[in-house]
Amino acid sequence: MSALEQTIRKFAEKPSRSLIKLELGLSSESLGEAYDFYNLYLLEVGFGIRYGKSMLNAARMKSMQEIVCGCPVRVLIRTS
């Protein structure tokens, strides 16, 4: 059973508790499933996510995908 599926089942058993709980060792079957899981968790906390940088392996297949905060960050640097 996937991490997302386990989380939804746990919430169905105890709806008064927090929907998502991060635990060491969680794994996902696909990138989409991982994205959905973290999106649910972070929406509950108060913000969303988006896809960040990705890397391709020698066979030109995606081997890494970052999932990052969806909030735009603006840094202002003032000089005198």
Side-chain angles (χ1 to χ4, degrees):
M1 187 181 322
S2 71
L4 181 60
E5 202 173 345
Q6 289 175 14
T7 300
I8 293 170
R9 287 177 187 259
K10 287 178 187 176
F11 179 73
E13 294 167 5
K14 297 180 183 177
S16 61
R17 301 181 84 190
S18 178
L19 175 60
I20 305 291
K21 182 179 178 188
L22 294 179
E23 296 174 358
L24 187 62
L26 286 177
S27 63
S28 298
E29 296 293 320
S30 67
L31 174 61
E33 184 179 291
Y35 184 90
D36 290 343
F37 178 82
Y38 283 104
N39 199 37
L40 282 174
Y41 170 71
L42 294 173
L43 284 174
E44 191 173 88
V45 173
F47 58 96
I49 60 172
R50 63 180 174 80
Y51 289 117
K53 297 177 189 174
S54 63
M55 292 180 68
L56 302 177
N57 62 16
R60 307 290 298 158
M61 296 181 66
K62 191 181 288 188
S63 62
M64 187 279 299
Q65 175 69 59
E66 289 182 347
I67 298 175
V68 298
C69 174
C71 304
V73 176
R74 184 177 293 174
V75 178
L76 299 176
I77 299 173
R78 295 182 184 208
T79 59
S80 46

